[in-house]
Amino acid sequence: MSNAFKTGEKVIIQIDYELNSDVEDANVGFGIVRVDGLDVYASNTRIDRVDKYSLSKKGTINIVINQFMVLSGHYHLDVAIEDENDEVIDFWREAVEFDVFSTISDVGIMRIEHNWEINNE
């Protein structure tokens, strides 16, 4: 497991979980928070319209981010599991701390892909 990532690289968030019982129609979410408390990004399986699924007592969930466009800084990851009634089964605040580094000196919290078009007459 790495706790340092480069802006733009592929990142896989692996969540190994163990529950007291199966969870029907589960909802798993994650949030990326800068250490000063700024919410950078958050989503869950319902927001992303993942087909209904159940979680067995023990398993692994992977969240694949093909291009992690967060800029340099220190962050942490929050993770939550809810049941079909949106009741929290487990919530891990600051489950993992990590750093992001960049070789480009852009400013802000994320990189937005863009192109320049300059037309001189």
mmCIF file of all heavy atoms in Angstrom, residues 56-92:
data_model
loop_
_atom_site.group_PDB
_atom_site.id
_atom_site.type_symbol
_atom_site.label_atom_id
_atom_site.label_comp_id
_atom_site.label_asym_id
_atom_site.label_seq_id
_atom_site.Cartn_x
_atom_site.Cartn_y
_atom_site.Cartn_z
ATOM 1 N N SER A 56 -21.425 -9.488 1.750
ATOM 2 C CA SER A 56 -21.321 -10.604 2.684
ATOM 3 C C SER A 56 -20.541 -10.131 3.909
ATOM 4 O O SER A 56 -20.061 -8.992 3.947
ATOM 5 C CB SER A 56 -20.634 -11.793 2.015
ATOM 6 O OG SER A 56 -19.361 -11.409 1.545
ATOM 7 N N LYS A 57 -20.399 -10.991 4.890
ATOM 8 C CA LYS A 57 -19.757 -10.589 6.141
ATOM 9 C C LYS A 57 -18.314 -10.133 5.976
ATOM 10 O O LYS A 57 -17.813 -9.344 6.761
ATOM 11 C CB LYS A 57 -19.810 -11.733 7.149
ATOM 12 C CG LYS A 57 -21.194 -12.004 7.677
ATOM 13 C CD LYS A 57 -21.151 -13.089 8.724
ATOM 14 C CE LYS A 57 -22.549 -13.379 9.243
ATOM 15 N NZ LYS A 57 -22.533 -14.422 10.271
ATOM 16 N N LYS A 58 -17.632 -10.626 4.948
ATOM 17 C CA LYS A 58 -16.230 -10.281 4.765
ATOM 18 C C LYS A 58 -15.943 -10.163 3.281
ATOM 19 O O LYS A 58 -16.424 -10.976 2.485
ATOM 20 C CB LYS A 58 -15.352 -11.368 5.389
ATOM 21 C CG LYS A 58 -13.893 -11.054 5.420
ATOM 22 C CD LYS A 58 -13.129 -12.148 6.169
ATOM 23 C CE LYS A 58 -11.671 -11.788 6.262
ATOM 24 N NZ LYS A 58 -10.908 -12.803 7.009
ATOM 25 N N GLY A 59 -15.180 -9.147 2.901
ATOM 26 C CA GLY A 59 -14.865 -8.994 1.485
ATOM 27 C C GLY A 59 -13.968 -7.797 1.221
ATOM 28 O O GLY A 59 -13.447 -7.169 2.135
ATOM 29 N N THR A 60 -13.820 -7.511 -0.065
ATOM 30 C CA THR A 60 -12.978 -6.406 -0.520
ATOM 31 C C THR A 60 -13.725 -5.608 -1.571
ATOM 32 O O THR A 60 -14.408 -6.178 -2.424
ATOM 33 C CB THR A 60 -11.665 -6.951 -1.133
ATOM 34 O OG1 THR A 60 -10.968 -7.690 -0.133
ATOM 35 C CG2 THR A 60 -10.781 -5.827 -1.628
ATOM 36 N N ILE A 61 -13.605 -4.306 -1.504
ATOM 37 C CA ILE A 61 -14.184 -3.398 -2.488
ATOM 38 C C ILE A 61 -13.041 -2.559 -3.042
ATOM 39 O O ILE A 61 -12.244 -2.012 -2.277
ATOM 40 C CB ILE A 61 -15.231 -2.477 -1.842
ATOM 41 C CG1 ILE A 61 -16.377 -3.302 -1.263
ATOM 42 C CG2 ILE A 61 -15.740 -1.444 -2.849
ATOM 43 C CD1 ILE A 61 -17.240 -2.538 -0.284
ATOM 44 N N ASN A 62 -12.963 -2.478 -4.356
ATOM 45 C CA ASN A 62 -11.946 -1.633 -4.992
ATOM 46 C C ASN A 62 -12.619 -0.473 -5.707
ATOM 47 O O ASN A 62 -13.612 -0.667 -6.414
ATOM 48 C CB ASN A 62 -11.120 -2.426 -6.009
ATOM 49 C CG ASN A 62 -10.194 -3.411 -5.345
ATOM 50 O OD1 ASN A 62 -9.631 -3.141 -4.291
ATOM 51 N ND2 ASN A 62 -10.024 -4.560 -5.947
ATOM 52 N N ILE A 63 -12.073 0.704 -5.520
ATOM 53 C CA ILE A 63 -12.507 1.896 -6.240
ATOM 54 C C ILE A 63 -11.335 2.275 -7.139
ATOM 55 O O ILE A 63 -10.253 2.602 -6.636
ATOM 56 C CB ILE A 63 -12.849 3.048 -5.281
ATOM 57 C CG1 ILE A 63 -13.932 2.609 -4.291
ATOM 58 C CG2 ILE A 63 -13.292 4.284 -6.070
ATOM 59 C CD1 ILE A 63 -14.016 3.481 -3.054
ATOM 60 N N VAL A 64 -11.550 2.210 -8.444
ATOM 61 C CA VAL A 64 -10.480 2.462 -9.399
ATOM 62 C C VAL A 64 -10.610 3.885 -9.939
ATOM 63 O O VAL A 64 -11.647 4.245 -10.498
ATOM 64 C CB VAL A 64 -10.513 1.440 -10.555
ATOM 65 C CG1 VAL A 64 -9.408 1.723 -11.557
ATOM 66 C CG2 VAL A 64 -10.424 0.012 -10.021
ATOM 67 N N ILE A 65 -9.570 4.672 -9.744
ATOM 68 C CA ILE A 65 -9.517 6.043 -10.259
ATOM 69 C C ILE A 65 -8.418 6.049 -11.312
ATOM 70 O O ILE A 65 -7.236 5.959 -10.979
ATOM 71 C CB ILE A 65 -9.220 7.051 -9.133
ATOM 72 C CG1 ILE A 65 -10.271 6.933 -8.028
ATOM 73 C CG2 ILE A 65 -9.156 8.468 -9.697
ATOM 74 C CD1 ILE A 65 -9.957 7.726 -6.778
ATOM 75 N N ASN A 66 -8.812 6.123 -12.577
ATOM 76 C CA ASN A 66 -7.836 6.008 -13.661
ATOM 77 C C ASN A 66 -6.856 7.166 -13.716
ATOM 78 O O ASN A 66 -5.696 6.977 -14.080
ATOM 79 C CB ASN A 66 -8.535 5.828 -15.004
ATOM 80 C CG ASN A 66 -9.155 4.454 -15.113
ATOM 81 O OD1 ASN A 66 -8.546 3.459 -14.747
ATOM 82 N ND2 ASN A 66 -10.388 4.399 -15.594
ATOM 83 N N GLN A 67 -7.306 8.363 -13.402
ATOM 84 C CA GLN A 67 -6.414 9.532 -13.345
ATOM 85 C C GLN A 67 -6.750 10.320 -12.089
ATOM 86 O O GLN A 67 -7.776 10.995 -12.025
ATOM 87 C CB GLN A 67 -6.571 10.415 -14.573
ATOM 88 C CG GLN A 67 -5.960 9.850 -15.829
ATOM 89 C CD GLN A 67 -5.959 10.888 -16.931
ATOM 90 O OE1 GLN A 67 -6.998 11.414 -17.314
ATOM 91 N NE2 GLN A 67 -4.771 11.191 -17.435
ATOM 92 N N PHE A 68 -5.904 10.231 -11.106
ATOM 93 C CA PHE A 68 -6.104 10.919 -9.832
ATOM 94 C C PHE A 68 -5.616 12.354 -9.988
ATOM 95 O O PHE A 68 -4.429 12.643 -9.870
ATOM 96 C CB PHE A 68 -5.332 10.184 -8.730
ATOM 97 C CG PHE A 68 -5.728 10.572 -7.344
ATOM 98 C CD1 PHE A 68 -7.022 10.386 -6.896
ATOM 99 C CD2 PHE A 68 -4.796 11.111 -6.474
ATOM 100 C CE1 PHE A 68 -7.394 10.728 -5.602
ATOM 101 C CE2 PHE A 68 -5.148 11.463 -5.182
ATOM 102 C CZ PHE A 68 -6.458 11.265 -4.744
ATOM 103 N N MET A 69 -6.528 13.272 -10.281
ATOM 104 C CA MET A 69 -6.168 14.628 -10.668
ATOM 105 C C MET A 69 -6.121 15.605 -9.488
ATOM 106 O O MET A 69 -6.230 16.812 -9.659
ATOM 107 C CB MET A 69 -7.132 15.129 -11.743
ATOM 108 C CG MET A 69 -7.114 14.274 -13.011
ATOM 109 S SD MET A 69 -5.473 13.963 -13.672
ATOM 110 C CE MET A 69 -5.083 15.562 -14.336
ATOM 111 N N VAL A 70 -5.928 15.096 -8.280
ATOM 112 C CA VAL A 70 -5.772 15.934 -7.099
ATOM 113 C C VAL A 70 -4.347 16.494 -7.086
ATOM 114 O O VAL A 70 -3.395 15.798 -7.426
ATOM 115 C CB VAL A 70 -6.055 15.108 -5.823
ATOM 116 C CG1 VAL A 70 -5.772 15.905 -4.577
ATOM 117 C CG2 VAL A 70 -7.499 14.614 -5.836
ATOM 118 N N LEU A 71 -4.216 17.762 -6.706
ATOM 119 C CA LEU A 71 -2.906 18.413 -6.695
ATOM 120 C C LEU A 71 -2.152 18.162 -5.389
ATOM 121 O O LEU A 71 -2.698 17.621 -4.428
ATOM 122 C CB LEU A 71 -3.065 19.910 -6.932
ATOM 123 C CG LEU A 71 -3.604 20.311 -8.301
ATOM 124 C CD1 LEU A 71 -3.626 21.826 -8.440
ATOM 125 C CD2 LEU A 71 -2.784 19.694 -9.419
ATOM 126 N N SER A 72 -0.909 18.601 -5.362
ATOM 127 C CA SER A 72 -0.017 18.383 -4.220
ATOM 128 C C SER A 72 -0.664 18.799 -2.907
ATOM 129 O O SER A 72 -1.314 19.842 -2.818
ATOM 130 C CB SER A 72 1.276 19.182 -4.406
ATOM 131 O OG SER A 72 1.983 18.732 -5.524
ATOM 132 N N GLY A 73 -0.465 17.966 -1.893
ATOM 133 C CA GLY A 73 -0.983 18.270 -0.566
ATOM 134 C C GLY A 73 -1.072 17.030 0.290
ATOM 135 O O GLY A 73 -0.706 15.930 -0.122
ATOM 136 N N HIS A 74 -1.573 17.226 1.505
ATOM 137 C CA HIS A 74 -1.758 16.144 2.466
ATOM 138 C C HIS A 74 -3.260 15.945 2.652
ATOM 139 O O HIS A 74 -3.986 16.914 2.912
ATOM 140 C CB HIS A 74 -1.070 16.510 3.794
ATOM 141 C CG HIS A 74 -0.975 15.380 4.745
ATOM 142 N ND1 HIS A 74 -0.196 14.268 4.516
ATOM 143 C CD2 HIS A 74 -1.573 15.177 5.939
ATOM 144 C CE1 HIS A 74 -0.311 13.426 5.536
ATOM 145 N NE2 HIS A 74 -1.140 13.969 6.410
ATOM 146 N N TYR A 75 -3.719 14.717 2.516
ATOM 147 C CA TYR A 75 -5.144 14.400 2.497
ATOM 148 C C TYR A 75 -5.438 13.201 3.383
ATOM 149 O O TYR A 75 -4.530 12.493 3.810
ATOM 150 C CB TYR A 75 -5.585 14.053 1.064
ATOM 151 C CG TYR A 75 -5.352 15.159 0.073
ATOM 152 C CD1 TYR A 75 -4.133 15.273 -0.599
ATOM 153 C CD2 TYR A 75 -6.335 16.097 -0.199
ATOM 154 C CE1 TYR A 75 -3.901 16.288 -1.511
ATOM 155 C CE2 TYR A 75 -6.120 17.122 -1.113
ATOM 156 C CZ TYR A 75 -4.902 17.212 -1.760
ATOM 157 O OH TYR A 75 -4.677 18.222 -2.656
ATOM 158 N N HIS A 76 -6.726 12.963 3.608
ATOM 159 C CA HIS A 76 -7.142 11.705 4.223
ATOM 160 C C HIS A 76 -8.395 11.196 3.518
ATOM 161 O O HIS A 76 -9.071 11.925 2.790
ATOM 162 C CB HIS A 76 -7.333 11.818 5.741
ATOM 163 C CG HIS A 76 -8.479 12.672 6.171
ATOM 164 N ND1 HIS A 76 -8.311 13.953 6.616
ATOM 165 C CD2 HIS A 76 -9.800 12.427 6.240
ATOM 166 C CE1 HIS A 76 -9.484 14.457 6.950
ATOM 167 N NE2 HIS A 76 -10.409 13.557 6.724
ATOM 168 N N LEU A 77 -8.650 9.922 3.735
ATOM 169 C CA LEU A 77 -9.762 9.232 3.098
ATOM 170 C C LEU A 77 -10.770 8.819 4.149
ATOM 171 O O LEU A 77 -10.399 8.241 5.178
ATOM 172 C CB LEU A 77 -9.233 7.974 2.376
ATOM 173 C CG LEU A 77 -10.265 7.090 1.700
ATOM 174 C CD1 LEU A 77 -10.757 7.761 0.417
ATOM 175 C CD2 LEU A 77 -9.659 5.731 1.385
ATOM 176 N N ASP A 78 -12.041 9.145 3.921
ATOM 177 C CA ASP A 78 -13.140 8.667 4.748
ATOM 178 C C ASP A 78 -13.866 7.571 3.971
ATOM 179 O O ASP A 78 -13.986 7.657 2.739
ATOM 180 C CB ASP A 78 -14.142 9.790 5.046
ATOM 181 C CG ASP A 78 -13.557 10.911 5.896
ATOM 182 O OD1 ASP A 78 -12.534 10.693 6.566
ATOM 183 O OD2 ASP A 78 -14.153 12.008 5.888
ATOM 184 N N VAL A 79 -14.362 6.560 4.679
ATOM 185 C CA VAL A 79 -15.084 5.455 4.047
ATOM 186 C C VAL A 79 -16.321 5.140 4.881
ATOM 187 O O VAL A 79 -16.261 5.155 6.117
ATOM 188 C CB VAL A 79 -14.199 4.188 3.955
ATOM 189 C CG1 VAL A 79 -14.964 3.034 3.349
ATOM 190 C CG2 VAL A 79 -12.935 4.466 3.158
ATOM 191 N N ALA A 80 -17.441 4.856 4.202
ATOM 192 C CA ALA A 80 -18.677 4.528 4.915
ATOM 193 C C ALA A 80 -19.398 3.370 4.234
ATOM 194 O O ALA A 80 -19.323 3.207 3.018
ATOM 195 C CB ALA A 80 -19.595 5.744 4.961
ATOM 196 N N ILE A 81 -20.103 2.589 5.049
ATOM 197 C CA ILE A 81 -21.000 1.541 4.552
ATOM 198 C C ILE A 81 -22.357 1.777 5.189
ATOM 199 O O ILE A 81 -22.463 1.946 6.416
ATOM 200 C CB ILE A 81 -20.493 0.129 4.914
ATOM 201 C CG1 ILE A 81 -19.151 -0.138 4.241
ATOM 202 C CG2 ILE A 81 -21.521 -0.934 4.519
ATOM 203 C CD1 ILE A 81 -18.523 -1.474 4.616
ATOM 204 N N GLU A 82 -23.404 1.820 4.338
ATOM 205 C CA GLU A 82 -24.779 1.996 4.807
ATOM 206 C C GLU A 82 -25.627 0.835 4.332
ATOM 207 O O GLU A 82 -25.302 0.177 3.337
ATOM 208 C CB GLU A 82 -25.367 3.303 4.263
ATOM 209 C CG GLU A 82 -24.646 4.541 4.715
ATOM 210 C CD GLU A 82 -25.212 5.804 4.083
ATOM 211 O OE1 GLU A 82 -25.950 5.713 3.069
ATOM 212 O OE2 GLU A 82 -24.910 6.891 4.595
ATOM 213 N N ASP A 83 -26.748 0.612 5.023
ATOM 214 C CA ASP A 83 -27.668 -0.439 4.599
ATOM 215 C C ASP A 83 -28.753 0.141 3.687
ATOM 216 O O ASP A 83 -28.702 1.324 3.317
ATOM 217 C CB ASP A 83 -28.259 -1.184 5.797
ATOM 218 C CG ASP A 83 -29.188 -0.330 6.657
ATOM 219 O OD1 ASP A 83 -29.598 0.788 6.233
ATOM 220 O OD2 ASP A 83 -29.522 -0.768 7.770
ATOM 221 N N GLU A 84 -29.756 -0.680 3.354
ATOM 222 C CA GLU A 84 -30.800 -0.260 2.413
ATOM 223 C C GLU A 84 -31.644 0.891 2.933
ATOM 224 O O GLU A 84 -32.314 1.588 2.171
ATOM 225 C CB GLU A 84 -31.702 -1.451 2.046
ATOM 226 C CG GLU A 84 -32.573 -1.980 3.166
ATOM 227 C CD GLU A 84 -31.893 -3.023 4.056
ATOM 228 O OE1 GLU A 84 -30.679 -3.247 3.926
ATOM 229 O OE2 GLU A 84 -32.611 -3.609 4.893
ATOM 230 N N ASN A 85 -31.623 1.138 4.258
ATOM 231 C CA ASN A 85 -32.383 2.232 4.865
ATOM 232 C C ASN A 85 -31.508 3.459 5.121
ATOM 233 O O ASN A 85 -31.903 4.350 5.865
ATOM 234 C CB ASN A 85 -33.010 1.762 6.181
ATOM 235 C CG ASN A 85 -33.967 0.623 5.963
ATOM 236 O OD1 ASN A 85 -34.800 0.652 5.054
ATOM 237 N ND2 ASN A 85 -33.839 -0.419 6.773
ATOM 238 N N ASP A 86 -30.324 3.490 4.505
ATOM 239 C CA ASP A 86 -29.357 4.580 4.672
ATOM 240 C C ASP A 86 -28.862 4.715 6.108
ATOM 241 O O ASP A 86 -28.403 5.782 6.517
ATOM 242 C CB ASP A 86 -29.925 5.923 4.181
ATOM 243 C CG ASP A 86 -30.204 5.913 2.689
ATOM 244 O OD1 ASP A 86 -29.456 5.233 1.958
ATOM 245 O OD2 ASP A 86 -31.165 6.572 2.256
ATOM 246 N N GLU A 87 -28.965 3.630 6.870
ATOM 247 C CA GLU A 87 -28.416 3.624 8.224
ATOM 248 C C GLU A 87 -26.948 3.245 8.143
ATOM 249 O O GLU A 87 -26.574 2.308 7.434
ATOM 250 C CB GLU A 87 -29.179 2.643 9.113
ATOM 251 C CG GLU A 87 -30.631 3.039 9.220
ATOM 252 C CD GLU A 87 -31.203 2.759 10.591
ATOM 253 O OE1 GLU A 87 -30.441 2.478 11.528
ATOM 254 O OE2 GLU A 87 -32.429 2.826 10.696
ATOM 255 N N VAL A 88 -26.119 3.981 8.865
ATOM 256 C CA VAL A 88 -24.677 3.754 8.823
ATOM 257 C C VAL A 88 -24.341 2.451 9.549
ATOM 258 O O VAL A 88 -24.662 2.273 10.719
ATOM 259 C CB VAL A 88 -23.915 4.932 9.458
ATOM 260 C CG1 VAL A 88 -22.423 4.650 9.498
ATOM 261 C CG2 VAL A 88 -24.190 6.216 8.681
ATOM 262 N N ILE A 89 -23.695 1.544 8.804
ATOM 263 C CA ILE A 89 -23.207 0.294 9.381
ATOM 264 C C ILE A 89 -21.819 0.524 9.967
ATOM 265 O O ILE A 89 -21.504 0.069 11.054
ATOM 266 C CB ILE A 89 -23.142 -0.817 8.304
ATOM 267 C CG1 ILE A 89 -24.518 -1.053 7.688
ATOM 268 C CG2 ILE A 89 -22.541 -2.090 8.860
ATOM 269 C CD1 ILE A 89 -25.567 -1.526 8.641
ATOM 270 N N ASP A 90 -20.998 1.237 9.237
ATOM 271 C CA ASP A 90 -19.656 1.590 9.715
ATOM 272 C C ASP A 90 -19.187 2.843 8.993
ATOM 273 O O ASP A 90 -19.539 3.089 7.841
ATOM 274 C CB ASP A 90 -18.672 0.447 9.466
ATOM 275 C CG ASP A 90 -17.570 0.403 10.518
ATOM 276 O OD1 ASP A 90 -17.364 1.426 11.210
ATOM 277 O OD2 ASP A 90 -16.919 -0.640 10.652
ATOM 278 N N PHE A 91 -18.409 3.646 9.690
ATOM 279 C CA PHE A 91 -17.865 4.880 9.133
ATOM 280 C C PHE A 91 -16.446 5.045 9.651
ATOM 281 O O PHE A 91 -16.220 5.050 10.856
ATOM 282 C CB PHE A 91 -18.734 6.074 9.546
ATOM 283 C CG PHE A 91 -18.236 7.389 8.994
ATOM 284 C CD1 PHE A 91 -18.304 7.659 7.642
ATOM 285 C CD2 PHE A 91 -17.707 8.352 9.834
ATOM 286 C CE1 PHE A 91 -17.844 8.866 7.124
ATOM 287 C CE2 PHE A 91 -17.249 9.560 9.338
ATOM 288 C CZ PHE A 91 -17.315 9.810 7.977
ATOM 289 N N TRP A 92 -15.496 5.119 8.728
ATOM 290 C CA TRP A 92 -14.098 5.290 9.096
ATOM 291 C C TRP A 92 -13.658 6.686 8.686
ATOM 292 O O TRP A 92 -13.344 6.923 7.534
ATOM 293 C CB TRP A 92 -13.210 4.262 8.399
ATOM 294 C CG TRP A 92 -13.568 2.841 8.675
ATOM 295 C CD1 TRP A 92 -13.298 2.145 9.808
ATOM 296 C CD2 TRP A 92 -14.234 1.938 7.791
ATOM 297 N NE1 TRP A 92 -13.768 0.855 9.684
ATOM 298 C CE2 TRP A 92 -14.348 0.702 8.453
ATOM 299 C CE3 TRP A 92 -14.760 2.052 6.492
ATOM 300 C CZ2 TRP A 92 -14.950 -0.405 7.875
ATOM 301 C CZ3 TRP A 92 -15.368 0.951 5.920
ATOM 302 C CH2 TRP A 92 -15.454 -0.253 6.613
#
